[in-house]
Amino acid sequence: MSSLLDEIKTGVIPKHIALIMDGNGRWAKQKNQPRLFGHQQGAIAVRETLKGAILCGVKCITIYAFSIENWNRPKDEVEGLMNLFIKACEEELPNLQENKIAFKVIGNLSLLNQECLTSLRKVEQATANNTNLLLQVAISYGSRWEITNAAKNMVTDILANKIDLDNINEELFGQYLLTDPNNDPDLLIRTSGEYRISNFLLWQLAYAELYFTNCYWPDFTKEELWKAIADYQKRERRFGKTSEQITNNK
Ligand code: FPP
């Protein structure tokens, strides 16, 4: 067993890790390969990362697979990615079941084609009762869209007298988002040396620790994940309190 894994297992493991999987295109270009080859290798890196997460006890991984802005990419790349999602759904289902991984999609799914949506829903339904790890896949996702949509749905409920304006608070608003309000990410990892959030989980990342690595996503491995967790374990999460309060547990 890896000594890094042994080391991190003695510390606090983040329950939920969010991942911006960046650098597939640059990785492929370096190898004189088409961009889609980078995405295909990226899918393999997702599988490796899930194995690494399970080995150390992470309970939830949210990956940014396709942003709303990514719809503006060249048509053949968008099509290639949609086909990759469909293929991954078919190929990875046995692996998800074997490892008891629940699969959930978040995003503006009304923009997806029917074949892709059907494949994703099938895997969601088949894995819904798995409890080892939750894999949330953000597809056609944008955080500003999610927040705007939540506001729209909340106003609709106010107008229908389902909720009262006076009862609106952060907790209630959180319930209108696509994620579990009690399961915000503890750690965000972004690969490829870019230092941006790129419209990903803006509300949910409010208190997350941020970790950036130069590694391109297809090169990301279990060890890279564990390195990020080791770095996270060195941080002091204060949630606005003082260091003394945290030490004295007040
Ligand atoms: C960003 O790299 C990556 C994406 C937009 C696609 C991510 C998708 C996968 C890794 C496929 C696997 C997903 C599942 C659900 C199995 P980029 O294309 O922006 O790279 P660049 O910045 O180097 O051009």
Side-chain angles (χ1 to χ4, degrees):
M1 201 188 272
S2 152
S3 60
L4 181 55
L5 177 59
D6 289 340
E7 192 188 307
I8 60 167
K9 279 176 111 174
T10 63
V12 177
I13 299 293
K15 278 199 211 68
H16 181 173
I17 300 179
L19 279 161
I20 302 182
M21 313 182 287
D22 200 6
N24 293 351
R26 278 164 285 165
W27 181 90
K29 195 172 177 194
Q30 263 186 356
K31 297 186 155 39
N32 288 320
Q33 294 287 338
R35 293 178 59 82
L36 201 56
F37 181 66
H39 297 316
Q40 285 160 350
Q41 295 302 305
I44 296 170
V46 172
R47 196 187 303 145
E48 273 298 291
T49 303
L50 290 173
K51 282 189 204 156
I54 286 175
L55 282 171
C56 66
V58 172
K59 297 309 288 180
C60 180
I61 296 270
T62 302
I63 56 174
Y64 206 4
F66 191 85
S67 72
I68 284 200
E69 292 77 18
N70 287 155
W71 287 115
N72 298 320
R73 289 197 172 189
K75 194 167 166 274
D76 60 342
E77 183 171 348
V78 171
E79 258 175 39
L81 275 165
M82 293 303 134
N83 291 334
L84 180 61
F85 298 144
I86 295 168
K87 190 163 160 265
C89 283
E90 278 163 19
E91 290 178 358
E92 298 302 325
L93 183 56
N95 182 33
L96 296 174
Q97 299 294 39
E98 195 180 316
N99 291 288
K100 299 189 171 54
I101 299 172
F103 178 92
K104 186 185 165 197
V105 206
I106 55 169
N108 185 353
L109 306 183
S110 67
L111 302 176
L112 294 177
N113 70 44
Q114 198 52 50
E115 188 188 3
C116 189
L117 188 58
T118 305
S119 302
L120 295 165
R121 290 293 188 220
K122 198 176 134 199
V123 181
E124 269 188 342
Q125 280 160 17
T127 62
N129 295 325
N130 290 343
T131 53
N132 214 8
L133 183 141
L134 170 65
L135 170 64
Q136 292 191 117
V137 184
I139 293 185
S140 184
Y141 175 88
S143 194
R144 287 184 172 185
W145 168 82
E146 181 191 24
I147 292 170
T148 308
N149 196 49
K152 212 163 124 185
N153 290 337
M154 202 168 65
V155 172
T156 305
D157 281 354
I158 295 169
L159 295 176
N161 289 320
K162 286 188 187 158
I163 57 167
D164 198 282
L165 187 59
D166 295 335
N167 292 337
I168 292 175
N169 54 25
E170 290 179 16
E171 203 190 330
L172 185 65
F173 187 79
Q175 291 172 18
Y176 283 85
L177 297 171
L178 298 173
T179 52
D180 174 354
N182 297 312
N183 187 23
D184 283 343
D186 302 296
L187 171 64
L188 168 78
I189 301 173
R190 181 170 190 148
T191 57
S192 90
E194 305 286 354
Y195 299 83
R196 288 188 294 277
I197 304 291
S198 299
N199 202 12
F200 189 43
L201 303 174
L202 298 179
W203 175 283
Q204 296 89 336
L205 289 172
Y207 290 103
E209 295 296 326
L210 309 182
Y211 178 87
F212 300 96
T213 167
N214 287 334
C215 172
Y216 288 149
W217 177 254
D219 287 331
F220 201 81
T221 56
K222 293 188 199 79
E223 272 75 20
E224 292 294 332
L225 177 76
W226 298 337
K227 264 198 256 172
I229 294 175
D231 192 82
Y232 167 88
Q233 290 177 337
K234 290 192 221 124
R235 317 269 181 99
E236 182 188 56
R237 303 187 77 198
R238 293 199 292 273
F239 300 96
K241 292 184 176 179
T242 66
S243 196
E244 289 71 26
Q245 282 175 300
I246 299 298
T247 311
N248 302 326
N249 202 16
K250 284 189 180 148

